[in-house]
Every structure is written in structure tokens, then in C-alpha cells.
Amino acid sequence: MSYNVTLIMGDGIGPEIAKVTQKVIDATGVKINWEEVEAGIDVMAKEGTPLPEKTLASCRKNKVALKAPVTTPVGTGFRSVNVALRQQLGLYACVRPCRSYEGVRSKYENIDLVIVRENTEDLYAGIEFEKGKPETQKLINTIKELGGKNIKDDSGISIKPISVTGTEKIVDYAFQYAKANKRKKVSAIHKANIMKFTDGLFLATARAVAKKYPEIEFNDVIVDNMSMQLVQKPELYDVLVLPNLYGDILSDLCAGLVGGLGVAPGANIGENGMAVFEATHGSAPKYKGLNKVNPCALILSGMLMLRHLGELKAADKLEKAIMSVIKSGKDVTYDMKPDRNDPTAVGTKEMGEAIIKELAKI
Ligand code: NAD
């Protein structure tokens, strides 16, 4: 059996970690026909867009993509490749497992949390009105007329839509994920006490969906309280389901609990098997071309991809190999050494090779 997978090379450190990840995944023995495509600021110079149509077409055709990070161009009118990709491909769920690996320096042990973040709505829907524009003034006037609320004339405005359909889909996905992965509890995170018509709707909808899954425990927590609890007693939580903005912020918090962005993978899930796997971290432009950064987050994203493809044995093997290299602390990149200037730190490629060697032993 072989699989067609789109490999989005990205920019900054993207191409380096993509190449290493590709080699490591090939070494698991799963046959993948990689279709390499571009996205980001490097291709923007050639094609006038950081997200060329052929990149999208390849994702649509193959349904499964592994994506290296891309830089968000500043001041080009193009908001974000990542947001555009999610919207164009209908990737409504972002799943970020956060798991402690022995050998990764962290203040916490035995963390095993999964963030399920809604990916298309909320303040990230891209509905924004710039300060001083006539349409912004019109909106300010309309809001005053409709609700009697004053907004200062020199305001910028971002709109926060949250729908019943969007919330049903994401919460249902969180429960399905919990069932499929033998997780025990789903927690809905919100600020319904303040934003009654958006977060309140999210909470009411989540409660209704939870009734369909009596075998899985459900609770809800206000996002500020959750931030504190995650730092104080993360062991109380299992799968967290969140609207887009809180999901973005708590994903990084949870990545911090397990030792940082170097080991934080992610999956963006859509309808009918469509999925794009990517690391939580960005393109780290200052390290571009230096063979320095940690490839593990993208390799772990590849491991999630293997699970999605049904290659569970290969995924387990790959996770074990990564864990073993990290645990030994020898062939690891600078960010995994106790002293970041440790001269024994290896490069991106060398860490990939060490994982391949471990794979051969398992
Ligand atoms: P970043 O994740 O690129 O970097 C944050 C810090 O982590 C930096 O110190 C960086 O050097 C370090 N770092 C990141 N990845 C690392 C790795 N694999 N190994 C070791 N250290 C690593 O975040 P940023 O600097 O805020 O963003 C840079 C660009 O990436 C921005 O344009 C941003 O929009 C974009 N970005 C893209 C994605 C994505 O493609 N999914 C995600 C986040 C940010």
C-alpha cells in the first residue's frame, strides 16, 4: 500500500526540517509518494502569492499534507498563509497533543493533554475594520443605533463570530477523538460569563453535544481559571475543546508544559479525510539554513500523519525512536541541551539521522 502526500516545504527553517522529516518517515518503511509544493515568502517573489493555487490543488487532490512552517508576510495585504490554508481547505479542527517525553527539560512530568481548537471562526475569522475607514465609522454608527453602545471613533474593530454549526462540529470532533483514542474526559473552555452570545453559545452547544457521549466525562472551565489550573494541576485534564483564540493561546501554554515548541506537533483536520499536519512552531527565520533547529515537532507531526493514514505500528515505532533519541540526550539539537551553547549539540540533519538509526533497532 502506498500513499500520496503533499509536502509543503515552507520557508525559513521550513525546507530543512521538511527534508529531514521526509527522510525519517521514509525510514519507517511506509511507502509515501511525496508531492513537493511551495508556500511562504520565498515563492511569493516568484508567483506573487505566498499560497499558490497549485499548492492548494495538490492538497485537495492528495487529501493529506505535511506542512513545514511559513512566515506570515507583513504589510502585503495577505493575512496569513496558515489561516488561508485552513479556510480554503475547510480545516475546522486543530489538534495538538502535548505529551511529556523523558529527557525534554520541563518543569512538569507526565503531562498528557490534547488541545482541540476550532480553526475557522472567532476573532480569527479575519473580519476586521481599520481605524478611520468610512466603513468602520458606518459600523460604529450602526452599533450605536442598534444597541445604544458607544465605540470611540478612533477604534479599530475585529468581529468575533461563533456559530452553533461550527461549535457542534468541533465539540463533536473532540468527543470522537476522545472515543477513538480512549481518552476519558472532555473539557470545554470559554468565557461565557462575559461574552454571552458567542462564548455562551459555545458553552450551551458544547453541553448539548456532550449529552450524546454519556460514557465520556464532560465539564467546562472559564479560560482564565483554566490557564491557572493548567499550570497548577494539569493532571486533572485530558482533552480540551476551545474556540479559536483561546485554543491558540492555550496550545502554546501546553507546549510550554511539555518543554517547548521543539516537541509540539499538530494536525489540522477537515471533512472527508482532509488533513494537514504541521509543527506548532513558526519559521524561526534567524536560524534559516544553519542546520541548527530541532526537527522533532515536524517529525512528530509526521507521526500523527501516519496514525491518520492508519499506519499505527509505524507511528508507534517512530514515536519510540524519537523518545529514545531525546531520552539519551546525546544526538539532540541545542534547544534540548541543558546549556543552549553546549558544543556537543548536533544539527537538524544529524538528529534526523540518529532517529533513523533508532528506528532500525526497533
Ligand atoms: P517561531 O516559532 O518561529 O519562533 C519562536 C522561538 O522558538 C524562536 O526563538 C525560535 O528560534 C524558536 N524555535 C522555533 N522553532 C524551533 C525549532 N524547531 N527548534 C528550535 N528552536 C525553535 O515564532 P515567531 O518567531 O513568532 O514566528 C516566526 C514566523 O513564523 C512569523 O512570520 C510567524 O507568523 C510564523 N509562524 C508560522 C507558523 C506556521 O507556519 N504554522 C506558526 C507560528 C508562527
Side-chain angles (χ1 to χ4, degrees):
M1 171 104 189
S2 70
Y3 306 92
N4 297 329
V5 170
T6 299
L7 180 63
I8 304 175
M9 304 306 285
D11 61 37
I13 57 166
E16 302 160 50
I17 57 173
K19 280 281 164 207
V20 168
T21 300
Q22 188 182 18
K23 255 179 110 173
V24 172
I25 292 181
D26 285 343
T28 65
V30 175
K31 176 91 190 78
I32 293 186
N33 310 311
W34 300 98
E35 190 169 314
E36 286 182 27
V37 293
E38 293 178 284
I41 48 172
D42 296 345
V43 71
M44 176 129 179
K46 279 189 279 174
E47 310 227 0
T49 169
L51 185 58
E53 187 45 46
K54 61 180 172 220
T55 299
L56 280 169
S58 171
C59 295
R60 288 195 183 104
K61 176 172 62 109
N62 295 327
K63 295 237 166 161
V64 177
L66 184 66
K67 177 185 156 293
V70 297
T71 305
T72 302
V74 178
T76 60
F78 201 97
R79 207 171 288 271
S80 155
V81 169
N82 300 310
V83 174
L85 198 66
R86 287 167 197 164
Q87 288 177 345
Q88 291 281 337
L89 299 178
L91 302 169
Y92 65 91
C94 178
V95 184
R96 287 182 173 160
C98 296
R99 190 172 168 195
S100 301
Y101 290 115
E102 202 182 330
V104 180
R105 275 171 302 114
S106 161
K107 293 190 163 49
Y108 298 84
E109 284 171 2
N110 304 321
I111 301 281
D112 188 8
L113 292 160
V114 181
I115 299 261
V116 177
R117 161 186 169 194
E118 203 288 325
N119 234 353
T120 61
E121 304 197 313
D122 196 358
L123 281 163
Y124 288 11
I127 311 168
E128 297 201 287
F129 294 85
E130 195 178 341
K131 174 191 76 98
K133 287 278 162 80
E135 56 273 24
T136 312
Q137 193 56 54
K138 207 167 158 188
L139 182 63
I140 290 172
N141 297 342
T142 305
I143 288 171
K144 186 164 187 188
E145 264 171 53
L146 292 176
K149 299 268 190 217
N150 275 324
I151 297 175
K152 291 192 187 86
D153 285 344
D154 58 353
S155 301
I157 300 177
S158 301
I159 304 282
K160 172 176 165 129
I162 291 195
S163 68
V164 172
T165 41
T167 305
E168 278 174 352
K169 228 160 127 176
I170 193 69
V171 178
D172 202 65
Y173 180 83
F175 276 100
Q176 290 289 345
Y177 180 96
K179 254 175 91 168
N181 292 279
K182 303 192 170 43
R183 316 287 305 208
K184 296 197 162 43
K185 179 174 171 183
V186 172
S187 307
I189 314 305
H190 60 87
K191 190 79 187 171
N193 51 333
I194 306 290
M195 283 168 280
K196 300 197 189 297
F197 300 140
T198 48
D199 287 35
L201 178 149
F202 182 86
L203 175 58
T205 308
R207 282 181 173 150
V209 173
K211 291 207 170 84
K212 289 198 311 184
Y213 300 92
E215 70 280 23
I216 295 171
E217 191 187 336
F218 173 76
N219 74 339
D220 72 274
V221 188
I222 293 175
V223 64
D224 36 355
N225 179 9
M226 191 69 209
S227 307
M228 187 185 66
Q229 292 205 45
L230 280 173
V231 180
Q232 288 191 326
K233 36 190 173 182
E235 67 283 358
L236 293 186
Y237 295 93
D238 190 349
V239 175
L240 311 182
V241 61
L242 313 92
N244 211 337
L245 173 67
Y246 310 145
D248 192 10
I249 298 169
L250 291 197
S251 291
D252 274 32
L253 191 156
C254 290
L257 295 179
V258 297
L261 291 170
V263 285
N268 296 293
I269 307 289
E271 308 274 12
N272 306 320
M274 174 74 80
V276 177
F277 297 84
E278 63 176 343
T280 299
H281 66 71
S283 57
K286 68 179 175 199
Y287 290 130
K288 178 181 177 176
L290 299 182
N291 187 40
K292 187 169 168 78
V293 297
N294 189 345
C296 281
L298 193 62
I299 300 175
L300 284 165
S301 306
M303 182 273 292
L304 298 178
M305 180 184 87
L306 291 176
R307 290 201 193 289
H308 176 83
L309 293 172
E311 294 288 346
L312 304 184
K313 270 195 188 146
D316 287 345
K317 221 170 99 170
L318 177 54
E319 192 171 20
K320 267 195 201 135
I322 299 169
M323 281 164 73
S324 161
V325 170
I326 292 176
K327 189 177 165 189
S328 86
K330 194 171 145 272
D331 295 316
V332 295
T333 45
Y334 75 98
D335 56 306
M336 304 221 121
K337 294 282 186 184
D339 169 9
R340 287 168 81 89
N341 297 315
D342 186 333
T344 67
V346 302
T348 311
K349 277 189 207 151
E350 291 69 27
M351 188 161 183
E353 276 153 22
I355 296 170
I356 292 174
K357 262 194 205 143
E358 273 309 307
L359 268 172
K361 290 188 209 156
I362 299 171

